[in-house]
Amino acid sequence: MNNFQEKTSFIWSVADEVLRDDFKRGEYPDVILPFTVLRRLDCVLAPTKDKVLEYDKKLEGKIENKDGALRHASGYSFYNTSPYDFEKLLAAPTSIGQNLRAYINGFSENMREVIDKFKLWGTIDTLEEKGLLFLLIQKFANVDLHPDAVSNHEMGYIFEELIRKFNEQTNENPGEHFTPREVIRLMVNLLLSQDQEKLAQNHIVRTVYDPACGTGGMLTIAKEHILDHINPNANIKLFGQEVNDKTFAISKSDMLIKGDDKDADNIKPDSSFSKDGHAVETFDYILSNPPYGKDWKKEEDFIEKEAKKGYEGRFGAGLPRKSDGQLLFVQHMISKMKPLEEGGSRIAIVMNGSPLFTGDAGSGESEIRRWIIEKDWLEAIVALPNQLFYNTGINTYIWIITNRKDEQRRGKVQLINAADFYVKMRKSLGDKRNEISPSQIEEITKLHTDFKENEFVNIFDNEDFGYRKITVERPSRLNFQASSERIARLKEQSAFQNLAVSKKKKDLQEKAREEAEGRKSQEEIINALSGMDASIFYTDRDQFEKALNAALKKAGLTPAAAVKKAIFEALSERDENAETCKDKKGNKEADSQLRDTENVSLKEDIYAYFEREVKPHVPDAWIDETTRDPKDGKVGKVGYDLNFNRYFYKYEPPRSLEDIEADINKLENEILELLRDVAE
């Protein structure tokens, strides 16, 4: 096995050969991922294993804490003091379970904490019970995962490919665990391209944070980019958090193997929302690929409580719908930006299309977009090609957010359409059929840094994405008639039906009495209405009301307001030629069924827009001035959206009738030929 793809295939084959029938496919990761980590650690420590055992024995009883000396002996920030390795475990088949537990317990505390996240003890019990443990270790012992055979970079690919395959089989959430490397490189380029000179300075120290770090790919690539391409002497400190125990363990163990002890200590488990592992810290660079379309119901109580703190908390701008937490991650990341006086921060986050436009004016999503744009933090959005990700073919977008925009970018947002910047892969990986080449990454980065409009780039004022949603009302115009048909409609009105419904539940006699009285009231109302002149067609509600009141008074009836409203509902029909209905103050009443809304650009006066676009078509309409924005108090609710298709739409004329007719004729001829073949 000469490359990581072969090793990945080998490890994948172990799952089918050893676990099939005894484990469900959804349980494969619980076995394969931790044993891959154990084998990697086993190979890493092999060259210094004897030295560690020698030091451990020599120092016994001489010093209280041997940790530092044993780390030095192993050459890593972790070690294993058990006498076992994979080879020695196989030498004693009858006690392999007991010895494996001793082997795991022999790891230094920092690595054992990582391994514990796999919750491996129960898995070992099951493997032992089913007689599979020896075979599994034997299989893994045949794959060389030493860094000389598999680099750290390649090992990252192995883990990501295994996770992709497991996700594919169990239909897990798209984008749940990791991002294609070329997408990360593009994000890192966009994040750092404007800071090249600053990062090249001597003694530079910078922090990088990912709140959903998965296996740590984004953090690692960001650090490598700075060290390899900008400043090899830079001090880059990594911070992250990962809610999934398995991917957390992979990420942290990978950093320990690389010798990045402090970085490994900065990777925290659990949710970034409810158990923020970096609650008081801020960072220079923040990047992430949060889960797409993943609900946040499990953390609902905490998040809603946090939101009530307003901008003193992390979710003060608003809460998105519970089915999608992407914009919660955006707010969380913004809360981690350094103040401008401390140098500010830059954020890159890749998301699907939902955060761009989901949510009407006043919704949580719109208010979050509004907050970001009105704060002048949104620098750019890049539309990526589809079919880039392993578990989904959906369209994705990189948002660049910063509180330290360059002068020329202030008050502006740059949209880059990179949807066609891809090359086809020779072999698909899940849903991934396209990839962005290195030269295309450079080209997209240049489009961003050049900040010039062209066929791929549009530059807008912040206000171009905002609108004011006004409510347009039209008057209620009704005719009235006490016809038998309309009187019959009254029986369908709930307020009228409820007259014969008793609220008494336990006293059956009283209940029967109330219901009888209600039916009598219904009959009396119907009789009173039937006594009105059915030939009179009222187009003025006031006149009809006078006639109705007279009929009810004559019958000695004073129905409740709800019942009287039901009578008006039943006996009326919409009539554009009728008089406008007015309230007691003489104001026109609006017809809720004719109510409409208009989205007016923030750059335009709503009244000028109304006179130009609405009034010519509906002369009797007016703007509802009681519907106002809760923040600025002006008429209409403010909303923001970022609909990419609107800004990069290219008109494609329909096909000519001649071309369509030619295709139809061709199909007809093909069908005739097929029918002839059948007939023969």
Side-chain angles (χ1 to χ4, degrees):
M1 290 178 287
N2 296 321
N3 57 56
F4 76 91
Q5 289 178 330
E6 289 180 351
K7 294 182 189 296
T8 304
S9 298
F10 176 82
I11 295 170
W12 180 253
S13 72
V14 171
D16 267 343
E17 290 176 19
V18 179
L19 306 181
R20 182 185 287 178
D21 299 330
D22 291 292
F23 284 80
K24 295 176 183 177
R25 286 191 174 272
E27 295 171 332
Y28 284 9
D30 299 338
V31 180
I32 298 301
L33 293 178
F35 273 87
T36 304
V37 170
L38 285 175
R39 179 55 179 159
R40 174 69 164 178
L41 298 174
D42 193 55
C43 293
V44 165
L45 294 177
T48 57
K49 177 78 173 181
D50 292 340
K51 187 177 180 182
V52 168
L53 295 177
E54 182 187 335
Y55 266 59
D56 185 44
K57 187 176 181 180
K58 186 188 296 183
L59 296 172
E60 187 66 39
K62 293 183 179 179
I63 59 173
E64 187 175 338
N65 188 350
K66 297 184 283 185
D67 187 68
L70 294 178
R71 289 188 184 205
H72 179 75
S74 77
Y76 291 93
S77 60
F78 61 96
Y79 49 86
N80 188 303
T81 57
S82 83
Y84 301 104
D85 55 22
F86 271 46
E87 187 178 340
K88 288 189 174 73
L89 287 170
L90 295 172
T94 56
S95 55
I96 194 166
Q98 179 183 338
N99 295 344
L100 176 60
R101 292 180 184 89
Y103 171 68
I104 292 171
N105 284 325
F107 278 102
S108 53
E109 187 177 348
N110 59 345
M111 187 58 78
R112 202 164 58 248
E113 286 174 358
V114 173
I115 296 169
D116 284 348
K117 286 293 180 180
F118 285 116
K119 300 176 177 64
L120 201 48
W121 302 120
T123 302
I124 293 172
D125 290 341
T126 305
L127 288 164
E128 204 171 9
E129 287 168 12
K130 295 181 180 293
L132 301 175
L133 190 56
F134 180 87
L135 181 58
L136 184 70
I137 293 175
Q138 186 181 53
K139 289 283 186 183
F140 271 100
N142 287 328
V143 60
D144 184 3
L145 296 182
H146 189 275
D148 291 343
V150 183
S151 69
N152 290 323
H153 189 67
E154 289 174 330
M155 199 65 217
Y157 271 120
I158 288 174
F159 281 122
E160 290 178 358
E161 180 63 3
L162 289 172
I163 291 169
R164 181 193 71 77
K165 284 175 173 282
F166 289 133
N167 287 351
E168 200 173 64
Q169 288 205 338
T170 56
N171 293 316
E172 281 202 28
N173 218 2
E176 176 88 19
H177 291 291
F178 64 97
T179 317
R181 293 301 172 102
E182 80 271 16
V183 175
I184 300 176
R185 291 190 179 95
L186 175 58
M187 292 173 69
V188 170
N189 271 25
L190 296 171
L191 199 64
L192 304 177
S193 59
Q194 298 178 32
D195 290 352
Q196 301 272 357
E197 290 185 12
K198 292 178 183 176
L199 290 169
Q201 294 173 6
N202 292 329
H203 312 297
I204 194 77
V205 179
R206 288 292 182 268
T207 53
V208 185
Y209 170 64
D210 182 349
C213 66
T215 58
M218 284 198 176
L219 293 171
T220 299
I221 289 177
K223 184 171 184 175
E224 287 175 355
H225 182 88
I226 295 171
L227 297 178
D228 295 345
H229 301 288
I230 302 175
N231 185 349
N233 299 315
N235 184 359
I236 307 301
K237 300 178 180 180
L238 303 182
F239 297 79
Q241 190 153 352
E242 173 55 32
V243 69
N244 182 287
D245 284 341
K246 295 183 190 69
T247 43
F248 162 79
I250 290 168
S251 175
K252 189 154 185 172
S253 62
D254 181 54
M255 289 189 179
L256 286 169
I257 290 168
K258 291 174 185 173
D260 300 330
D261 304 12
K262 291 182 179 178
D263 288 346
D265 289 342
N266 292 333
I267 305 300
K268 305 296 183 182
D270 301 318
S271 167
S272 293
F273 296 156
S274 57
K275 295 182 180 178
D276 186 0
H278 305 285
V280 298
E281 285 142 318
T282 55
F283 307 96
D284 298 296
Y285 300 107
I286 306 166
L287 71 172
S288 194
N289 170 24
Y292 306 151
K294 187 174 181 180
D295 71 59
W296 45 277
K297 290 177 184 175
K298 285 197 299 185
E299 300 183 270
E300 179 180 345
D301 290 344
F302 174 86
I303 289 169
E304 290 182 346
K305 186 177 178 182
E306 181 84 0
K308 287 178 182 176
K309 298 177 184 177
Y311 294 112
E312 293 298 313
R314 285 171 286 162
F315 310 121
L319 295 178
R321 59 202 64 197
K322 291 185 178 68
S323 60
D324 189 355
Q326 290 177 95
L327 285 170
L328 290 177
F329 273 97
V330 172
Q331 292 185 83
H332 173 77
M333 292 164 79
I334 287 173
S335 76
K336 301 297 182 184
M337 290 198 301
K338 287 187 172 183
L340 196 55
E341 56 270 22
E342 294 179 20
S345 301
R346 289 179 63 77
I347 294 172
I349 181 169
V350 60
M351 300 184 284
N352 66 17
S354 177
L356 292 171
F357 49 77
T358 297
D360 200 1
S363 68
E365 292 90 348
S366 179
E367 285 299 292
I368 295 166
R369 290 190 291 268
R370 176 183 184 178
W371 175 60
I372 294 168
I373 293 172
E374 290 186 351
K375 285 285 188 180
D376 199 20
W377 289 335
L378 184 59
E379 177 176 289
I381 298 177
V382 180
L384 299 175
N386 60 17
Q387 298 182 328
L388 275 184
F389 284 73
Y390 301 97
N391 293 15
T392 176
I394 60 175
N395 294 320
T396 50
Y397 304 81
I398 297 173
W399 293 41
I400 303 298
I401 297 169
T402 182
N403 57 356
R404 53 176 176 90
K405 280 186 181 180
D406 291 345
E407 182 66 37
Q408 63 174 347
R409 291 180 179 270
R410 289 178 188 167
K412 306 285 185 182
V413 176
Q414 181 184 22
L415 301 186
I416 302 173
N417 183 16
D420 295 327
F421 286 67
Y422 67 89
V423 293
K424 283 287 178 187
M425 297 174 65
R426 285 182 295 176
K427 183 181 178 182
S428 299
L429 286 173
D431 290 313
K432 183 173 175 60
R433 294 172 177 83
N434 301 326
E435 61 184 354
I436 307 172
S437 69
S439 62
Q440 288 169 330
I441 291 174
E442 293 303 320
E443 193 174 350
I444 297 168
T445 305
K446 190 173 188 302
L447 289 172
H448 175 243
T449 53
D450 285 352
F451 196 61
K452 293 177 182 176
E453 289 196 326
N454 54 46
E455 61 178 311
F456 304 112
V457 177
N458 283 329
I459 298 170
F460 297 94
D461 295 333
N462 289 343
E463 294 80 9
D464 288 327
F465 302 105
Y467 61 90
R468 197 171 288 277
K469 183 180 180 180
I470 59 171
T471 302
V472 176
E473 301 283 19
R474 292 180 64 188
S476 175
R477 289 192 171 95
L478 303 170
N479 65 49
F480 298 85
Q481 188 178 24
S483 66
S484 58
E485 289 181 3
R486 297 192 185 188
I487 292 171
R489 294 200 305 238
L490 177 61
K491 297 175 182 178
E492 299 170 6
Q493 294 285 325
S494 60
F496 183 78
Q497 292 172 347
N498 288 338
L499 287 172
V501 177
S502 173
K503 293 181 180 179
K504 305 287 185 183
K505 292 183 179 180
K506 295 183 178 180
D507 191 335
L508 298 180
Q509 188 175 355
E510 184 65 18
K511 179 182 179 183
R513 187 190 65 78
E514 284 188 357
E515 288 177 348
E517 286 184 0
R519 287 192 293 272
K520 182 182 178 184
S521 296
Q522 288 176 330
E523 187 178 345
E524 289 172 344
I525 291 170
I526 294 293
N527 290 337
L529 297 178
S530 299
M532 295 177 68
D533 189 343
S535 66
I536 300 177
F537 191 77
Y538 297 91
T539 57
D540 186 313
R541 189 176 66 179
D542 290 343
Q543 291 180 7
F544 170 72
E545 188 170 15
K546 288 177 183 178
L548 174 65
N549 288 339
L552 293 172
K553 185 176 181 181
K554 184 179 178 182
L557 300 173
T558 54
V563 176
K564 196 169 182 182
K565 183 180 178 183
I567 295 171
F568 277 100
E569 287 276 344
L571 271 57
S572 66
E573 289 182 358
R574 190 171 286 101
D575 185 348
E576 61 182 18
N577 295 314
E579 295 295 321
T580 298
C581 297
K582 295 182 179 179
D583 61 21
K584 292 179 181 179
K585 294 181 180 180
N587 298 317
K588 290 186 288 186
E589 288 186 6
D591 187 333
S592 61
Q593 293 188 36
L594 296 177
R595 183 172 295 142
D596 202 358
T597 58
E598 294 284 334
N599 292 342
V600 184
S601 169
L602 289 182
K603 287 186 169 181
E604 185 165 5
D605 179 77
I606 60 170
Y607 296 102
Y609 173 92
F610 179 79
E611 291 295 327
R612 185 183 74 249
E613 300 291 338
V614 180
K615 204 77 170 172
H617 306 288
V618 277
D620 59 356
W622 71 92
I623 296 174
D624 174 17
E625 295 187 335
T626 64
T627 302
R628 293 177 175 265
D629 185 79
K631 288 186 176 174
D632 66 17
K634 296 180 181 178
V635 175
K637 289 184 177 180
V638 171
Y640 278 82
D641 67 23
L642 297 136
N643 193 327
F644 244 80
N645 292 335
R646 184 190 307 153
Y647 307 118
F648 290 98
Y649 173 74
K650 291 180 181 177
Y651 174 73
E652 293 183 8
R655 297 174 64 206
S656 68
L657 292 175
E658 291 80 6
D659 289 344
I660 296 170
E661 186 177 11
D663 282 350
I664 293 172
N665 291 334
K666 183 181 177 183
L667 287 171
E668 286 177 345
N669 291 331
E670 288 175 359
I671 292 168
L672 287 171
E673 286 295 324
L674 290 170
L675 290 172
R676 286 193 194 99
D677 291 343
V678 172
E680 291 174 359

